[in-house]
Amino acid sequence: MAKTKSTFFCQNCGAQYAKWQGQCNSCKEWNTIAEEVIQKAEKVSWKSSENTSKRVAKPQRISEISTQAEARLNTKNNELNRVLGGGLVPGSLTLLGGEPGIGKSTLMLQIALQLPYKTLYVSGEESAQQIKMRAERIQPISENCFILTETKTQNIFRNIAEIEPDIVVIDSIQTLHTDAIESTAGSISQIRETAAELIKYAKETATPVILIGHITKDGNIAGPKILEHMVDTVLQFEGDRNHIYRILRANKNRFGSTNEIGIYEMQGSGLREVSNPSEILISKNEEDLSGTAISATLEGMRPLMIEIQALVSSAVYGTPQRSATGYNAKRLNMILAVLEKRAGFKLGTKDVFLNVTGGITVDDPAIDLAVVAAVLSSNIDIAIDKGLCFAAEVGLAGEVRPVTRVEQRILEAEKLGFTSIVISKYCKIPKNNFHINIIKVAKVHDVVHHLFG
Ligand code: TYD
Ligand code: MG
Protein backbone atom coordinates (compact mmCIF):
# COMPACT_ATOMS: atom_id res chain seq x y z
CA MET A 1 0.00 0.00 0.00
CA ALA A 2 1.41 3.30 -1.00
CA LYS A 3 1.83 5.95 1.62
CA THR A 4 -1.14 8.26 1.91
CA LYS A 5 -0.23 11.86 1.47
CA SER A 6 -2.50 14.80 1.68
CA THR A 7 -2.06 18.42 0.80
CA PHE A 8 -4.22 21.51 1.13
CA PHE A 9 -5.30 23.34 -2.00
CA CYS A 10 -7.10 26.62 -2.43
CA GLN A 11 -10.18 25.67 -4.44
CA ASN A 12 -10.29 29.13 -5.91
CA CYS A 13 -6.80 29.65 -7.29
CA GLY A 14 -5.07 26.31 -6.86
CA ALA A 15 -2.34 27.47 -4.45
CA GLN A 16 -0.92 24.59 -2.41
CA TYR A 17 -0.33 24.61 1.36
CA ALA A 18 1.21 22.18 3.80
CA LYS A 19 -1.45 22.86 6.42
CA TRP A 20 -4.90 24.34 6.63
CA GLN A 21 -5.42 28.06 7.00
CA GLY A 22 -8.44 30.33 6.84
CA GLN A 23 -7.38 32.66 4.08
CA CYS A 24 -5.48 31.91 0.91
CA ASN A 25 -2.26 33.93 0.76
CA SER A 26 -2.28 34.12 -2.97
CA CYS A 27 -5.86 35.03 -3.92
CA LYS A 28 -6.96 36.35 -0.49
CA GLU A 29 -10.22 34.38 -0.56
CA TRP A 30 -11.54 33.07 2.74
CA ASN A 31 -12.54 29.47 3.44
CA THR A 32 -11.41 28.12 0.12
CA ILE A 33 -8.62 25.85 1.37
CA ALA A 34 -9.51 22.17 1.50
CA GLU A 35 -7.60 19.01 2.15
CA GLU A 36 -7.07 16.66 -0.77
CA VAL A 37 -5.63 13.19 -0.45
CA ILE A 38 -3.00 12.49 -3.03
CA GLN A 39 -2.36 8.80 -2.96
CA LYS A 40 0.16 7.69 -5.45
CA ALA A 41 -1.16 4.29 -6.35
CA GLU A 42 0.48 2.52 -9.25
CA LYS A 43 -0.18 4.79 -12.14
CA VAL A 44 -2.24 3.34 -14.93
CA SER A 45 -2.50 6.39 -17.04
CA TRP A 46 -2.02 6.48 -20.77
CA LYS A 47 0.38 3.61 -21.47
CA SER A 48 3.62 5.20 -22.39
CA SER A 49 5.66 3.22 -24.84
CA GLU A 50 8.81 1.84 -23.24
CA ASN A 51 11.26 3.56 -25.45
CA THR A 52 9.78 7.03 -24.99
CA SER A 53 10.65 7.06 -21.33
CA LYS A 54 14.12 5.73 -22.00
CA ARG A 55 14.81 7.93 -24.96
CA VAL A 56 16.91 10.92 -24.03
CA ALA A 57 16.29 14.05 -26.02
CA LYS A 58 19.34 15.47 -27.73
CA PRO A 59 19.85 19.10 -28.64
CA GLN A 60 19.38 19.80 -32.32
CA ARG A 61 20.53 22.71 -34.39
CA ILE A 62 17.54 24.95 -35.02
CA SER A 63 18.40 25.01 -38.70
CA GLU A 64 18.15 21.23 -38.83
CA ILE A 65 14.74 20.90 -37.25
CA SER A 66 12.30 19.98 -39.96
CA THR A 67 9.23 22.16 -40.10
CA GLN A 68 6.76 20.67 -42.45
CA ALA A 69 3.74 22.81 -41.94
CA GLU A 70 1.70 20.77 -39.48
CA ALA A 71 -1.24 19.29 -41.26
CA ARG A 72 -4.19 20.77 -39.43
CA LEU A 73 -7.45 18.97 -39.07
CA ASN A 74 -10.18 20.93 -40.72
CA THR A 75 -13.08 21.04 -38.27
CA LYS A 76 -15.58 21.78 -41.07
CA ASN A 77 -16.64 24.77 -39.08
CA ASN A 78 -15.20 27.95 -40.56
CA GLU A 79 -15.70 30.06 -37.48
CA LEU A 80 -13.91 27.55 -35.24
CA ASN A 81 -11.15 27.06 -37.80
CA ARG A 82 -10.58 30.79 -37.93
CA VAL A 83 -10.35 31.12 -34.14
CA LEU A 84 -7.97 28.16 -33.94
CA GLY A 85 -5.78 29.70 -36.62
CA GLY A 86 -6.65 27.26 -39.40
CA GLY A 87 -7.88 24.07 -37.76
CA LEU A 88 -6.92 21.67 -35.00
CA VAL A 89 -3.23 20.89 -34.66
CA PRO A 90 -2.50 17.17 -34.17
CA GLY A 91 -1.57 16.41 -30.58
CA SER A 92 -2.88 19.74 -29.30
CA LEU A 93 -5.03 20.30 -26.25
CA THR A 94 -7.80 22.86 -26.54
CA LEU A 95 -9.75 24.07 -23.54
CA LEU A 96 -13.20 25.52 -24.17
CA GLY A 97 -14.66 27.55 -21.32
CA GLY A 98 -17.95 29.35 -20.92
CA GLU A 99 -20.95 29.90 -18.71
CA PRO A 100 -23.42 27.10 -18.14
CA GLY A 101 -26.01 26.88 -20.89
CA ILE A 102 -24.09 29.01 -23.35
CA GLY A 103 -23.75 26.11 -25.79
CA LYS A 104 -20.34 24.49 -25.22
CA SER A 105 -21.67 20.94 -25.39
CA THR A 106 -23.83 21.81 -28.39
CA LEU A 107 -20.89 23.29 -30.29
CA MET A 108 -18.60 20.35 -29.60
CA LEU A 109 -21.23 17.73 -30.37
CA GLN A 110 -21.97 19.51 -33.60
CA ILE A 111 -18.27 19.47 -34.53
CA ALA A 112 -17.98 15.80 -33.55
CA LEU A 113 -20.96 14.93 -35.75
CA GLN A 114 -19.88 16.79 -38.84
CA LEU A 115 -16.25 15.69 -38.90
CA PRO A 116 -15.30 13.10 -41.46
CA TYR A 117 -12.91 11.56 -38.91
CA LYS A 118 -13.53 9.10 -36.13
CA THR A 119 -14.49 11.15 -33.09
CA LEU A 120 -14.99 10.15 -29.50
CA TYR A 121 -17.25 12.35 -27.41
CA VAL A 122 -16.78 11.54 -23.74
CA SER A 123 -19.47 12.94 -21.50
CA GLY A 124 -19.53 12.94 -17.76
CA GLU A 125 -22.50 15.25 -17.61
CA GLU A 126 -25.23 13.78 -19.74
CA SER A 127 -26.49 10.30 -20.50
CA ALA A 128 -26.00 8.71 -23.91
CA GLN A 129 -29.75 9.05 -24.57
CA GLN A 130 -29.71 12.73 -23.81
CA ILE A 131 -26.79 13.22 -26.15
CA LYS A 132 -28.49 11.23 -28.89
CA MET A 133 -31.64 13.32 -28.55
CA ARG A 134 -29.64 16.49 -28.85
CA ALA A 135 -27.64 15.11 -31.77
CA GLU A 136 -30.84 14.29 -33.66
CA ARG A 137 -31.91 17.89 -33.36
CA ILE A 138 -28.74 19.41 -34.62
CA GLN A 139 -27.15 17.29 -37.29
CA PRO A 140 -27.64 14.16 -39.33
CA ILE A 141 -26.31 11.25 -37.27
CA SER A 142 -22.82 10.26 -38.32
CA GLU A 143 -21.33 6.77 -38.31
CA ASN A 144 -17.97 8.16 -37.24
CA CYS A 145 -19.07 9.60 -33.93
CA PHE A 146 -18.75 7.53 -30.76
CA ILE A 147 -20.32 8.52 -27.45
CA LEU A 148 -18.89 7.37 -24.15
CA THR A 149 -20.41 8.23 -20.80
CA GLU A 150 -17.54 7.65 -18.44
CA THR A 151 -15.63 9.75 -15.96
CA LYS A 152 -12.73 7.56 -14.94
CA THR A 153 -9.69 8.29 -17.07
CA GLN A 154 -8.37 4.73 -16.87
CA ASN A 155 -11.59 3.44 -18.45
CA ILE A 156 -11.58 6.22 -21.00
CA PHE A 157 -8.04 5.31 -22.09
CA ARG A 158 -8.99 1.66 -22.33
CA ASN A 159 -11.81 2.61 -24.72
CA ILE A 160 -9.57 4.96 -26.63
CA ALA A 161 -7.06 2.17 -27.18
CA GLU A 162 -9.85 0.07 -28.63
CA ILE A 163 -11.55 2.63 -30.87
CA GLU A 164 -8.46 4.65 -31.78
CA PRO A 165 -10.30 7.92 -32.43
CA ASP A 166 -8.86 10.77 -34.49
CA ILE A 167 -10.30 13.41 -32.17
CA VAL A 168 -11.36 13.23 -28.54
CA VAL A 169 -13.80 15.63 -26.86
CA ILE A 170 -14.09 15.60 -23.07
CA ASP A 171 -17.25 17.11 -21.54
CA SER A 172 -16.10 18.25 -19.01
CA ILE A 173 -12.66 18.18 -17.42
CA GLN A 174 -14.27 18.89 -14.02
CA THR A 175 -16.15 15.60 -14.08
CA LEU A 176 -13.12 13.40 -14.73
CA HIS A 177 -11.27 11.50 -12.06
CA THR A 178 -8.24 9.31 -12.04
CA ASP A 179 -7.39 6.41 -9.75
CA ALA A 180 -3.96 7.84 -9.20
CA ILE A 181 -5.39 10.42 -6.82
CA GLU A 182 -7.99 9.96 -4.16
CA SER A 183 -9.68 13.32 -4.03
CA THR A 184 -13.11 14.00 -5.50
CA ALA A 185 -13.74 14.84 -9.14
CA GLY A 186 -13.47 18.54 -9.84
CA SER A 187 -10.91 19.17 -7.10
CA ILE A 188 -7.72 20.96 -7.96
CA SER A 189 -5.48 17.92 -7.81
CA GLN A 190 -7.86 15.78 -9.89
CA ILE A 191 -8.15 18.39 -12.62
CA ARG A 192 -4.38 18.78 -12.72
CA GLU A 193 -3.71 15.06 -12.85
CA THR A 194 -6.41 14.13 -15.38
CA ALA A 195 -5.34 17.00 -17.62
CA ALA A 196 -1.72 15.81 -17.40
CA GLU A 197 -2.76 12.30 -18.40
CA LEU A 198 -4.73 13.62 -21.36
CA ILE A 199 -1.82 15.79 -22.46
CA LYS A 200 0.45 12.78 -22.41
CA TYR A 201 -2.05 10.83 -24.48
CA ALA A 202 -2.50 13.68 -26.97
CA LYS A 203 1.21 14.26 -27.46
CA GLU A 204 2.11 10.60 -27.79
CA THR A 205 -0.57 9.73 -30.30
CA ALA A 206 -0.82 13.13 -32.05
CA THR A 207 -4.56 13.13 -31.41
CA PRO A 208 -6.17 16.51 -30.82
CA VAL A 209 -8.10 16.61 -27.55
CA ILE A 210 -10.74 19.21 -26.75
CA LEU A 211 -11.61 19.77 -23.10
CA ILE A 212 -14.76 21.55 -22.03
CA GLY A 213 -14.27 23.48 -18.81
CA HIS A 214 -16.64 25.09 -16.33
CA ILE A 215 -16.08 28.64 -15.29
CA THR A 216 -16.23 30.22 -11.87
CA LYS A 217 -18.56 33.05 -10.91
CA ASP A 218 -15.96 35.64 -11.85
CA GLY A 219 -15.55 34.21 -15.33
CA ASN A 220 -12.29 32.28 -14.99
CA ILE A 221 -11.98 28.65 -15.91
CA ALA A 222 -12.61 26.61 -12.76
CA GLY A 223 -9.64 24.72 -11.44
CA PRO A 224 -6.00 25.56 -11.13
CA LYS A 225 -4.57 28.34 -13.22
CA ILE A 226 -1.95 25.82 -14.23
CA LEU A 227 -4.56 24.11 -16.42
CA GLU A 228 -4.50 27.09 -18.72
CA HIS A 229 -0.70 26.89 -18.87
CA MET A 230 -0.78 23.20 -19.67
CA VAL A 231 -3.09 23.34 -22.67
CA ASP A 232 -2.14 24.79 -26.05
CA THR A 233 -5.25 26.80 -26.71
CA VAL A 234 -7.84 28.37 -24.42
CA LEU A 235 -11.12 29.27 -26.09
CA GLN A 236 -13.90 31.23 -24.49
CA PHE A 237 -17.50 30.90 -25.59
CA GLU A 238 -19.49 33.91 -24.55
CA GLY A 239 -22.60 35.88 -25.21
CA ASP A 240 -25.74 37.02 -23.55
CA ARG A 241 -27.99 34.05 -22.90
CA ASN A 242 -31.00 36.16 -23.69
CA HIS A 243 -29.67 36.94 -27.12
CA ILE A 244 -29.12 34.48 -29.88
CA TYR A 245 -25.58 35.47 -30.79
CA ARG A 246 -22.56 33.72 -29.31
CA ILE A 247 -18.94 34.76 -29.70
CA LEU A 248 -16.02 32.37 -29.63
CA ARG A 249 -12.62 33.86 -28.89
CA ALA A 250 -9.16 32.55 -28.20
CA ASN A 251 -7.62 33.75 -24.93
CA LYS A 252 -4.45 31.85 -25.61
CA ASN A 253 -3.30 30.16 -28.78
CA ARG A 254 0.07 28.54 -29.33
CA PHE A 255 -0.68 27.99 -32.99
CA GLY A 256 -2.25 31.22 -34.14
CA SER A 257 -3.39 34.68 -33.28
CA THR A 258 -5.74 35.50 -30.43
CA ASN A 259 -7.33 38.31 -32.38
CA GLU A 260 -9.84 36.30 -34.30
CA ILE A 261 -13.40 35.75 -33.22
CA GLY A 262 -16.08 33.36 -34.39
CA ILE A 263 -19.74 34.34 -34.33
CA TYR A 264 -22.61 31.87 -34.00
CA GLU A 265 -26.33 32.13 -33.84
CA MET A 266 -28.16 29.75 -31.47
CA GLN A 267 -31.09 28.25 -33.28
CA GLY A 268 -33.58 25.51 -32.53
CA SER A 269 -31.37 23.17 -34.50
CA GLY A 270 -28.01 24.01 -32.96
CA LEU A 271 -25.46 26.71 -33.63
CA ARG A 272 -25.34 28.31 -37.02
CA GLU A 273 -22.15 29.96 -38.21
CA VAL A 274 -22.55 33.64 -38.93
CA SER A 275 -20.15 34.33 -41.74
CA ASN A 276 -21.24 37.86 -42.45
CA PRO A 277 -21.94 39.39 -39.03
CA SER A 278 -22.28 42.98 -40.18
CA GLU A 279 -25.45 42.18 -42.08
CA ILE A 280 -27.25 40.75 -39.10
CA LEU A 281 -26.15 43.39 -36.63
CA ILE A 282 -27.73 46.18 -38.60
CA SER A 283 -31.50 46.27 -38.44
CA LYS A 284 -33.23 46.67 -41.74
CA ASN A 285 -35.75 49.34 -40.84
CA GLU A 286 -37.42 50.90 -43.80
CA GLU A 287 -38.53 54.05 -42.00
CA ASP A 288 -36.07 56.66 -40.82
CA LEU A 289 -35.69 56.46 -37.07
CA SER A 290 -33.91 59.08 -35.05
CA GLY A 291 -31.33 57.97 -32.50
CA THR A 292 -29.58 55.25 -34.47
CA ALA A 293 -26.11 55.41 -35.96
CA ILE A 294 -23.87 52.79 -37.51
CA SER A 295 -20.28 52.33 -36.44
CA ALA A 296 -17.52 50.56 -38.34
CA THR A 297 -15.75 48.70 -35.53
CA LEU A 298 -13.18 45.94 -35.38
CA GLU A 299 -13.54 42.83 -33.27
CA GLY A 300 -10.03 41.45 -33.26
CA MET A 301 -9.04 41.40 -36.90
CA ARG A 302 -12.55 41.36 -38.14
CA PRO A 303 -14.44 44.46 -39.26
CA LEU A 304 -17.94 44.61 -37.90
CA MET A 305 -20.66 47.14 -38.63
CA ILE A 306 -22.64 47.73 -35.46
CA GLU A 307 -25.79 49.70 -34.82
CA ILE A 308 -25.94 52.07 -31.86
CA GLN A 309 -29.26 53.22 -30.52
CA ALA A 310 -29.74 56.15 -28.22
CA LEU A 311 -32.78 57.56 -26.53
CA VAL A 312 -32.59 61.04 -25.08
CA SER A 313 -35.61 62.34 -23.21
CA SER A 314 -36.35 64.89 -20.52
CA ALA A 315 -35.66 63.51 -17.07
CA VAL A 316 -38.82 62.83 -15.11
CA TYR A 317 -37.04 62.65 -11.78
CA GLY A 318 -34.55 65.12 -10.39
CA THR A 319 -31.42 63.19 -11.26
CA PRO A 320 -31.20 62.27 -14.91
CA GLN A 321 -30.56 58.61 -15.66
CA ARG A 322 -27.73 57.39 -17.83
CA SER A 323 -27.57 53.81 -18.85
CA ALA A 324 -25.55 51.94 -21.44
CA THR A 325 -25.81 48.36 -22.66
CA GLY A 326 -22.83 46.98 -24.52
CA TYR A 327 -20.89 50.21 -24.06
CA ASN A 328 -18.90 51.53 -21.11
CA ALA A 329 -21.22 53.69 -18.97
CA LYS A 330 -18.35 55.89 -17.79
CA ARG A 331 -17.37 56.55 -21.35
CA LEU A 332 -20.97 57.52 -22.14
CA ASN A 333 -20.84 60.08 -19.33
CA MET A 334 -17.61 61.43 -20.73
CA ILE A 335 -19.09 61.76 -24.22
CA LEU A 336 -22.12 63.57 -22.80
CA ALA A 337 -19.84 65.98 -20.92
CA VAL A 338 -17.86 66.62 -24.10
CA LEU A 339 -21.07 67.33 -26.03
CA GLU A 340 -22.20 69.73 -23.35
CA LYS A 341 -18.94 71.61 -23.11
CA ARG A 342 -17.63 71.50 -26.68
CA ALA A 343 -20.72 71.37 -28.84
CA GLY A 344 -23.10 73.37 -26.70
CA PHE A 345 -25.76 70.70 -26.24
CA LYS A 346 -27.57 70.93 -22.93
CA LEU A 347 -27.96 67.31 -21.96
CA GLY A 348 -27.58 67.81 -18.22
CA THR A 349 -31.32 67.53 -17.59
CA LYS A 350 -31.91 64.65 -20.00
CA ASP A 351 -32.15 60.91 -19.48
CA VAL A 352 -29.80 59.14 -21.87
CA PHE A 353 -30.11 55.46 -22.72
CA LEU A 354 -27.67 53.79 -25.04
CA ASN A 355 -27.81 50.34 -26.54
CA VAL A 356 -25.46 48.40 -28.79
CA THR A 357 -27.77 46.11 -30.73
CA GLY A 358 -27.26 42.36 -31.01
CA GLY A 359 -26.33 41.95 -27.34
CA ILE A 360 -22.64 42.38 -27.96
CA THR A 361 -20.20 44.45 -25.97
CA VAL A 362 -17.81 46.72 -27.82
CA ASP A 363 -14.49 47.96 -26.44
CA ASP A 364 -13.28 49.49 -29.66
CA PRO A 365 -12.94 53.29 -29.14
CA ALA A 366 -13.90 53.81 -32.78
CA ILE A 367 -17.51 53.48 -31.72
CA ASP A 368 -17.39 56.88 -29.94
CA LEU A 369 -18.36 58.99 -32.90
CA ALA A 370 -21.38 56.82 -33.65
CA VAL A 371 -22.43 57.23 -30.00
CA VAL A 372 -22.18 61.00 -30.40
CA ALA A 373 -24.21 60.86 -33.60
CA ALA A 374 -26.90 58.61 -32.09
CA VAL A 375 -27.27 60.80 -28.99
CA LEU A 376 -27.49 64.01 -31.02
CA SER A 377 -29.92 62.47 -33.48
CA SER A 378 -32.23 61.36 -30.69
CA ASN A 379 -31.91 64.68 -28.92
CA ILE A 380 -33.12 66.75 -31.84
CA ASP A 381 -35.24 63.92 -33.24
CA ILE A 382 -33.79 63.96 -36.72
CA ALA A 383 -32.78 60.68 -38.32
CA ILE A 384 -29.30 60.17 -39.67
CA ASP A 385 -28.96 59.33 -43.34
CA LYS A 386 -29.02 55.54 -43.76
CA GLY A 387 -26.00 55.52 -46.03
CA LEU A 388 -23.77 57.10 -43.40
CA CYS A 389 -21.50 55.35 -40.92
CA PHE A 390 -18.82 56.41 -38.44
CA ALA A 391 -15.37 55.30 -37.31
CA ALA A 392 -13.53 57.63 -34.93
CA GLU A 393 -12.66 58.13 -31.30
CA VAL A 394 -13.72 61.27 -29.43
CA GLY A 395 -11.26 63.03 -27.12
CA LEU A 396 -11.89 65.21 -24.10
CA ALA A 397 -11.25 68.40 -26.02
CA GLY A 398 -13.99 67.46 -28.44
CA GLU A 399 -11.45 66.44 -31.06
CA VAL A 400 -12.18 63.55 -33.40
CA ARG A 401 -9.24 61.18 -33.24
CA PRO A 402 -7.97 58.64 -35.71
CA VAL A 403 -8.45 54.91 -35.12
CA THR A 404 -6.44 51.84 -36.07
CA ARG A 405 -6.77 50.10 -39.42
CA VAL A 406 -9.16 52.62 -40.81
CA GLU A 407 -8.79 51.24 -44.34
CA GLN A 408 -10.23 47.92 -43.31
CA ARG A 409 -13.23 49.67 -41.77
CA ILE A 410 -13.76 51.77 -44.88
CA LEU A 411 -13.65 48.67 -47.08
CA GLU A 412 -16.21 46.90 -44.93
CA ALA A 413 -18.53 49.91 -45.07
CA GLU A 414 -18.09 50.04 -48.81
CA LYS A 415 -18.77 46.34 -49.15
CA LEU A 416 -22.04 46.68 -47.29
CA GLY A 417 -23.24 49.48 -49.49
CA PHE A 418 -22.76 52.53 -47.29
CA THR A 419 -22.37 55.72 -49.27
CA SER A 420 -20.36 57.80 -46.79
CA ILE A 421 -18.13 57.21 -43.79
CA VAL A 422 -17.12 59.85 -41.25
CA ILE A 423 -13.54 59.52 -40.00
CA SER A 424 -10.98 61.73 -38.33
CA LYS A 425 -9.22 64.38 -40.36
CA TYR A 426 -5.93 63.05 -39.01
CA CYS A 427 -6.34 59.54 -40.40
CA LYS A 428 -3.69 58.61 -42.87
CA ILE A 429 -5.14 56.75 -45.82
CA PRO A 430 -2.33 55.88 -48.22
CA LYS A 431 -4.35 55.77 -51.42
CA ASN A 432 -7.78 57.15 -51.90
CA ASN A 433 -9.21 54.68 -54.35
CA PHE A 434 -12.41 54.01 -52.45
CA HIS A 435 -15.78 54.48 -54.05
CA ILE A 436 -17.35 55.44 -50.76
CA ASN A 437 -17.45 59.12 -49.90
CA ILE A 438 -15.00 59.81 -47.07
CA ILE A 439 -15.94 62.70 -44.80
CA LYS A 440 -13.07 63.94 -42.65
CA VAL A 441 -13.81 65.88 -39.51
CA ALA A 442 -11.57 67.39 -36.84
CA LYS A 443 -14.01 68.34 -34.07
CA VAL A 444 -17.34 67.12 -32.73
CA HIS A 445 -18.72 70.47 -33.75
CA ASP A 446 -17.97 69.72 -37.42
CA VAL A 447 -19.91 66.46 -37.13
CA VAL A 448 -22.97 68.31 -35.89
CA HIS A 449 -22.63 70.66 -38.82
CA HIS A 450 -22.35 67.77 -41.28
CA LEU A 451 -25.26 65.82 -39.88
CA PHE A 452 -27.85 68.44 -39.25
CA GLY A 453 -26.57 71.43 -41.20
P1 TYD B 1 -25.44 23.46 -23.84
O1 TYD B 1 -24.63 23.10 -25.03
O2 TYD B 1 -26.00 22.37 -23.03
O3 TYD B 1 -24.63 24.43 -22.90
P2 TYD B 1 -23.33 24.15 -22.02
O4 TYD B 1 -22.77 22.84 -22.39
O5 TYD B 1 -22.45 25.31 -22.35
O6 TYD B 1 -23.80 24.23 -20.60
O7 TYD B 1 -26.55 24.45 -24.37
C1 TYD B 1 -27.74 24.51 -23.79
C2 TYD B 1 -28.59 25.63 -24.30
O8 TYD B 1 -28.65 25.76 -25.69
C3 TYD B 1 -29.96 25.29 -23.84
O9 TYD B 1 -30.35 26.25 -22.90
C4 TYD B 1 -30.82 25.27 -25.03
C5 TYD B 1 -29.99 25.83 -26.12
N1 TYD B 1 -30.12 25.06 -27.38
C6 TYD B 1 -30.81 25.61 -28.44
O10 TYD B 1 -31.33 26.71 -28.37
N2 TYD B 1 -30.88 24.91 -29.61
C7 TYD B 1 -30.34 23.66 -29.75
O11 TYD B 1 -30.43 23.07 -30.83
C8 TYD B 1 -29.63 23.12 -28.65
C9 TYD B 1 -29.02 21.76 -28.74
C10 TYD B 1 -29.54 23.84 -27.49
MG1 MG C 1 -22.64 21.08 -21.27
Side-chain angles (χ1 to χ4, degrees), residues 151 173-178 182-188 190-191 194:
T151 54
I173 181 78
Q174 278 84 8
T175 57
L176 290 192
H177 70 100
T178 165
E182 240 185 39
S183 53
T184 51
S187 63
I188 303 286
Q190 279 290 3
I191 294 176
T194 49

Side-chain angles (χ1 to χ4, degrees), residues 124-397:
E125 306 207 328
E126 287 158 288
S127 71
Q129 287 76 15
Q130 272 177 311
I131 298 171
K132 173 83 192 273
M133 272 159 57
R134 180 188 302 214
E136 278 171 342
R137 279 173 58 196
I138 58 182
Q139 199 95 78
I141 298 300
S142 141
E143 284 301 314
N144 286 327
C145 180
F146 291 80
I147 305 289
L148 174 69
T149 46
E150 175 63 68
T151 54
K152 203 159 122 182
T153 55
Q154 281 73 20
N155 294 345
I156 294 172
F157 287 131
R158 216 163 284 144
N159 283 297
I160 284 177
E162 209 171 286
I163 308 177
E164 296 186 336
D166 297 315
I167 291 185
V168 177
V169 178
I170 307 280
D171 187 4
S172 64
I173 181 78
Q174 278 84 8
T175 57
L176 290 192
H177 70 100
T178 165
D179 279 348
I181 285 180
E182 240 185 39
S183 53
T184 51
S187 63
I188 303 286
S189 49
Q190 279 290 3
I191 294 176
R192 192 157 55 187
E193 192 60 32
T194 49
E197 287 180 8
L198 286 163
I199 287 177
K200 199 156 159 235
Y201 156 71
K203 303 285 172 218
E204 278 180 21
T205 59
T207 314
V209 176
I210 301 172
L211 307 174
I212 293 179
H214 296 169
I215 61 169
T216 58
K217 60 177 187 300
D218 37 321
N220 295 317
I221 290 172
K225 199 76 193 156
I226 197 171
L227 181 62
E228 284 166 63
H229 291 290
M230 285 160 89
V231 300
D232 299 302
T233 307
V234 180
L235 304 181
Q236 184 91 23
F237 205 31
E238 57 190 41
D240 189 333
R241 254 199 294 163
N242 301 320
H243 284 86
I244 51 174
Y245 299 111
R246 304 279 186 273
I247 295 180
L248 183 71
R249 15 174 135 250
N251 288 346
K252 161 185 173 178
N253 193 351
R254 284 190 184 147
F255 313 110
S257 128
T258 52
N259 286 329
E260 296 292 349
I261 61 160
I263 302 183
Y264 294 91
E265 183 180 341
M266 182 58 98
Q267 294 184 331
S269 55
L271 290 154
R272 187 183 70 89
E273 293 173 58
V274 176
S275 41
N276 196 350
S278 297
E279 282 184 354
I280 52 155
L281 292 171
I282 300 172
S283 62
K284 309 236 170 4
N285 273 327
E286 287 304 318
E287 45 186 325
D288 286 339
L289 294 175
S290 68
T292 63
I294 312 284
S295 173
T297 66
L298 282 179
E299 262 293 338
M301 304 294 281
R302 216 166 164 190
L304 210 60
M305 305 297 288
I306 287 178
E307 184 173 323
I308 318 290
Q309 291 186 316
L311 184 68
V312 180
S313 63
S314 300
V316 185
Y317 304 108
T319 320
Q321 295 186 62
R322 270 82 212 271
S323 112
T325 317
Y327 184 72
N328 188 332
K330 287 202 179 120
R331 196 141 183 103
L332 173 62
N333 281 332
M334 183 211 97
I335 298 261
L336 295 177
V338 169
L339 284 179
E340 179 119 20
K341 184 102 180 166
R342 311 281 175 199
F345 281 88
K346 297 279 167 261
L347 298 166
T349 55
K350 302 283 179 78
D351 284 342
V352 180
F353 304 97
L354 193 84
N355 184 23
V356 177
T357 54
I360 53 178
T361 303
V362 186
D363 294 328
D364 186 3
I367 193 175
D368 287 356
L369 198 58
V371 171
V372 167
V375 168
L376 294 184
S377 158
S378 175
N379 189 41
I380 57 176
D381 205 16
I382 297 178
I384 294 172
D385 175 18
K386 273 197 159 48
L388 195 61
C389 62
F390 304 83
E393 186 181 338
V394 173
L396 285 179

Side-chain angles (χ1 to χ4, degrees), residues 25-212:
N25 293 348
S26 92
C27 69
K28 309 289 175 218
E29 279 288 320
W30 287 92
N31 281 334
T32 53
I33 297 176
E35 183 174 13
E36 291 185 16
V37 180
I38 313 170
Q39 191 176 40
K40 292 275 174 207
E42 23 79 73
K43 253 194 173 173
V44 249
S45 62
W46 175 250
K47 55 174 185 348
S48 126
S49 44
E50 285 264 320
N51 42 11
T52 37
S53 49
K54 288 205 184 121
R55 195 176 59 209
V56 180
K58 285 216 179 78
Q60 277 177 286
R61 269 184 230 282
I62 191 158
S63 57
E64 286 166 10
I65 300 174
S66 66
T67 51
Q68 332 112 329
E70 330 107 21
R72 295 192 183 226
L73 284 158
N74 180 355
T75 61
K76 292 272 154 104
N77 189 301
N78 290 333
E79 300 293 298
L80 179 64
N81 281 347
R82 186 211 325 266
V83 177
L84 289 171
L88 281 169
V89 174
S92 66
L93 242 85
T94 307
L95 178 62
L96 173 69
E99 288 194 11
I102 206 79
K104 304 179 293 296
S105 308
T106 308
L107 179 65
M108 282 309 140
L109 185 63
Q110 203 164 330
I111 305 284
L113 287 170
Q114 69 191 17
L115 277 176
Y117 314 104
K118 205 188 264 188
T119 54
L120 178 67
Y121 185 97
V122 183
S123 179
E125 306 207 328
E126 287 158 288
S127 71
Q129 287 76 15
Q130 272 177 311
I131 298 171
K132 173 83 192 273
M133 272 159 57
R134 180 188 302 214
E136 278 171 342
R137 279 173 58 196
I138 58 182
Q139 199 95 78
I141 298 300
S142 141
E143 284 301 314
N144 286 327
C145 180
F146 291 80
I147 305 289
L148 174 69
T149 46
E150 175 63 68
T151 54
K152 203 159 122 182
T153 55
Q154 281 73 20
N155 294 345
I156 294 172
F157 287 131
R158 216 163 284 144
N159 283 297
I160 284 177
E162 209 171 286
I163 308 177
E164 296 186 336
D166 297 315
I167 291 185
V168 177
V169 178
I170 307 280
D171 187 4
S172 64
I173 181 78
Q174 278 84 8
T175 57
L176 290 192
H177 70 100
T178 165
D179 279 348
I181 285 180
E182 240 185 39
S183 53
T184 51
S187 63
I188 303 286
S189 49
Q190 279 290 3
I191 294 176
R192 192 157 55 187
E193 192 60 32
T194 49
E197 287 180 8
L198 286 163
I199 287 177
K200 199 156 159 235
Y201 156 71
K203 303 285 172 218
E204 278 180 21
T205 59
T207 314
V209 176
I210 301 172
L211 307 174
I212 293 179

